[in-house]
């Protein structure tokens, strides 16, 4: 087993070129390579990681044991640790498992911001593909057909090729502080063929915590090349990829909002450059190979500006089209969200104005209190207002 535990450490590495013989560039923030059957466990808390140059990963975690006996796990966990990488194929966190055991797994838990800049660079990458586009060095398949590889995001993850890249699919969990995007316009990408198996299966769970969907994935796509995708919002499944079920018709409560998904879907035929992408017309019955976005794109995607962002600038993504794919509307409880703070404040600040009524030659006094009124909000999004009538008797 390899166990790396780092706390409050600043790591900076840089390389200038890739070795032409071995195709290696030893410029990793943290490199964890294991050739045995035990786990690979990398934990980073605080500090920061910055790398520069081709193939310069922030965290590189690998189990190289190809034996079928290796059911070990590759785990990468960061907490309040920003990672910045720039250079071709310079991923923020990159995890692989070379074994053939069906129980082998990969888990990456992102607890800080990740910014990966450069051609082919992803914020988080799991597994890889060979020259034939087949999945290699990835987690095994579970009983439901998902790859045993999970990425949990509780920070802001920005890549160039993709925010989160899953070779062969798997699961992505976006927490209440998480967001994902990329300069390419692909927030989450599941891709790669598995010989004698189905196309990638992908499940995305978004915990919006009252945020809009656009605040979580921006004008970016959730893509699964040819496979089944399940989308859940606040633990409510809106689209079920299993057995080509498609739209569930369910509604996900989200603070003052209800979130649903429209029935018509599209598929995206990716090409290089992105200006050559072809997006199908929205249609019902699109389930397998359906791609998801906050917005319905037009048939072609405008080219991305060629300027490569610097670490001090944000990657640029293409503006999206008009019609929302995730539809959000105010729920009836929205009025309560808007008026409750004001109402409670008025209850706390009730100043009595009537004098006390004393009984002659008695220590007892009586006070009668009362008020009535109404409140209207000129900037209410749901035209909220309320009436308040209060009466009280005080005797001492």
């Amino acid at each position: 087993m390899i166990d790396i535990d780092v706390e409050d450490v600043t790591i900076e590495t840089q390389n200038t070129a890739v070795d032409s013989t071995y195709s290696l560039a030893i410029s990793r923030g943290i490199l964890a390579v294991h050739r045995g059957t035990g786990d690979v466990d990398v934990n980073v808390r605080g500090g920061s990681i910055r790398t520069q140059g081709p193939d310069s990963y922030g965290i590189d975690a690998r189990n190289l044991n190809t034996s079928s006996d290796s059911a070990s796990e590759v785990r990468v966990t960061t907490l309040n640790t920003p990672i910045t990488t720039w250079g071709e194929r310079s991923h923020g966190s990159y995890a692989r498992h070379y074994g053939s055991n069906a129980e082998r797994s990969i888990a990456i838990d992102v607890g800080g911001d990740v910014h990966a800049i450069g051609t082919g660079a992803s914020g988080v990458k799991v597994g890889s593909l060979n020259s034939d586009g087949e999945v290699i060095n990835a987690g095994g398949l579970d009983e439901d057909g998902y790859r045993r590889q999970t990425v949990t995001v509780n920070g802001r993850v920005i890549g160039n090729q993709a925010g989160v890249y899953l070779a062969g699919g798997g699961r992505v969990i976006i927490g209440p502080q998480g967001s994902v995007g990329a300069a390419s316009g692909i927030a989450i990408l599941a891709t790669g063929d598995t010989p004698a198996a189905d196309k990638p299966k992908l499940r995305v769970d978004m915990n919006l915590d009252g945020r809009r969907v656009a605040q979580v994935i921006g004008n970016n796509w959730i893509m699964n090349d040819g496979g089944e995708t399940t989308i859940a919002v606040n633990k409510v499944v809106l689209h079920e990829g299993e057995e080509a079920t498609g739209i569930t018709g369910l509604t996900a409560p989200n603070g003052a909002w209800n979130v649903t998904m429209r029935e018509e879907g599209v598929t995206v035929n990716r090409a290089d450059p992105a200006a050559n992408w072809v997006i199908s017309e929205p249609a019902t019955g699109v389930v397998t190979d359906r791609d998801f976005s906050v917005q319905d794109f037009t048939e072609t995607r405008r080219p991305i500006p060629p300027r490569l962002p610097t670490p001090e600038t944000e990657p640029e993504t293409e503006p999206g089209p008009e019609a929302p794919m995730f539809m959000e509307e105010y729920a009836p409880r929205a009025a309560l969200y808007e008026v409750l703070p004001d109402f409670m404040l008025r209850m706390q600040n009730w100043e009595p104005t009537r004098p006390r009524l004393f009984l002659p030659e008695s220590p007892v006094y009586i006070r009668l209190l009362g008020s009535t009124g109404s409140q209207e909000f000129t900037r209410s999004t749901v035209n909220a207002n309320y009436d308040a009538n209060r009466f009280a008797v005080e005797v001492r």
Side-chain angles (χ1 to χ4, degrees):
M1 176 178 180
I2 290 183
D3 189 354
I4 297 177
D5 203 352
V6 178
E7 184 170 2
D8 295 332
V9 174
T10 298
I11 300 174
E12 296 189 10
T13 65
Q14 180 177 356
N15 75 68
T16 57
V18 175
D19 185 287
S20 59
T21 302
Y22 300 102
S23 298
L24 293 175
I26 306 301
S27 178
R28 311 287 197 261
I30 295 177
L31 175 61
V33 179
H34 188 34
R35 300 180 185 276
T37 58
D39 296 342
V40 176
D41 198 352
V42 179
N43 289 275
V44 185
R45 297 179 300 279
S48 64
I49 299 175
R50 294 165 59 91
T51 70
Q52 184 173 358
D55 298 282
S56 297
Y57 315 142
I59 299 176
D60 183 355
R62 290 176 269 168
N63 188 316
L64 301 183
N65 189 336
T66 60
S67 169
S68 61
D69 297 329
S70 180
S72 55
E73 182 178 19
V74 178
R75 295 184 296 267
V76 175
T77 303
T78 60
L79 179 62
N80 298 323
T81 306
I83 299 176
T84 304
T85 67
W86 58 101
E88 295 182 3
R89 302 172 302 277
S90 293
H91 314 299
S93 289
Y94 190 12
R96 285 157 288 174
H97 201 311
Y98 288 59
S100 57
N101 187 292
E103 301 294 322
R104 69 192 186 278
S105 61
I106 300 173
I108 298 180
D109 193 332
V110 180
D113 292 350
V114 178
H115 193 170
I117 303 165
T119 303
S122 294
V124 175
K125 184 172 183 178
V126 178
S128 58
L129 308 181
N130 62 20
S131 58
D132 295 324
E134 298 173 342
V135 179
I136 56 175
N137 309 333
L141 297 172
D142 65 16
E143 58 276 7
D144 296 321
Y146 287 95
R147 288 277 174 186
R148 299 180 187 274
Q149 42 198 35
T150 301
V151 176
T152 302
V153 178
N154 265 306
R156 189 165 182 260
V157 175
I158 300 293
N160 189 293
Q161 181 182 21
V164 175
Y165 179 113
L166 294 171
R171 292 174 169 84
V172 178
I173 301 170
I174 303 177
Q177 305 299 320
S179 63
V180 185
S184 67
I186 305 175
I188 300 170
L189 175 62
T191 188
D193 294 328
T194 301
D198 295 331
K199 293 285 187 177
K201 294 184 67 172
L202 172 67
R203 179 177 173 120
V204 178
D205 285 82
M206 291 188 284
N207 185 340
L208 299 181
D209 194 30
R211 300 173 296 168
R212 305 290 298 273
V213 174
Q215 293 176 275
V216 177
I217 61 173
N219 289 332
N220 292 271
W221 290 90
I222 297 173
M223 289 187 171
N224 184 353
D225 289 340
E228 300 174 353
T229 301
T230 295
I231 303 286
V233 171
N234 297 345
K235 299 183 179 180
V236 178
V237 175
L238 303 183
H239 184 273
E240 177 62 74
E242 203 66 45
E243 298 180 357
T245 301
I247 296 299
T248 64
L250 300 177
T251 298
N254 182 43
W257 297 85
N258 284 334
V259 183
T260 60
M261 188 181 294
R262 74 172 188 174
E263 187 174 357
E264 296 83 6
V266 301
T267 60
V268 180
N269 183 7
R270 295 189 296 118
D272 190 14
N276 294 330
W277 285 8
V278 177
I279 303 170
S280 67
E281 291 291 335
T284 59
V286 178
V287 180
T288 302
D289 197 27
R290 178 172 178 173
D291 298 309
F292 301 86
S293 172
V294 174
Q295 302 167 321
D296 259 333
F297 280 59
T298 54
E299 193 165 288
T300 59
R301 184 182 174 92
R302 292 188 298 175
I304 299 173
R307 179 178 63 85
L308 184 66
T310 66
E312 289 75 24
T313 62
E314 297 297 330
E316 298 182 7
T317 58
E318 288 301 295
E322 304 299 329
M325 182 169 291
F326 290 95
M327 291 171 286
E328 297 166 306
E329 61 182 14
Y330 283 110
R333 59 186 174 274
L336 178 61
Y337 277 84
E338 291 195 342
V339 305
L340 186 59
D342 182 84
F343 178 76
M344 296 300 293
L345 182 62
R346 288 178 179 273
M347 292 289 290
Q348 293 295 322
N349 293 335
W350 188 15
E351 295 292 340
T353 58
R354 291 184 176 273
R356 299 169 180 171
L357 302 179
F358 290 92
L359 298 177
E361 300 178 356
S362 173
V364 177
Y365 71 85
I366 301 174
R367 180 162 55 183
L368 302 177
L369 306 172
S371 70
T372 183
S374 63
Q375 178 67 33
E376 295 184 358
F377 300 90
T378 58
R379 301 185 65 181
S380 170
T381 53
V382 291
N383 297 320
N385 59 79
Y386 69 88
D387 297 328
N389 300 300
R390 291 177 288 179
F391 302 97
V393 177
E394 183 180 353
V395 179
R396 289 189 182 181

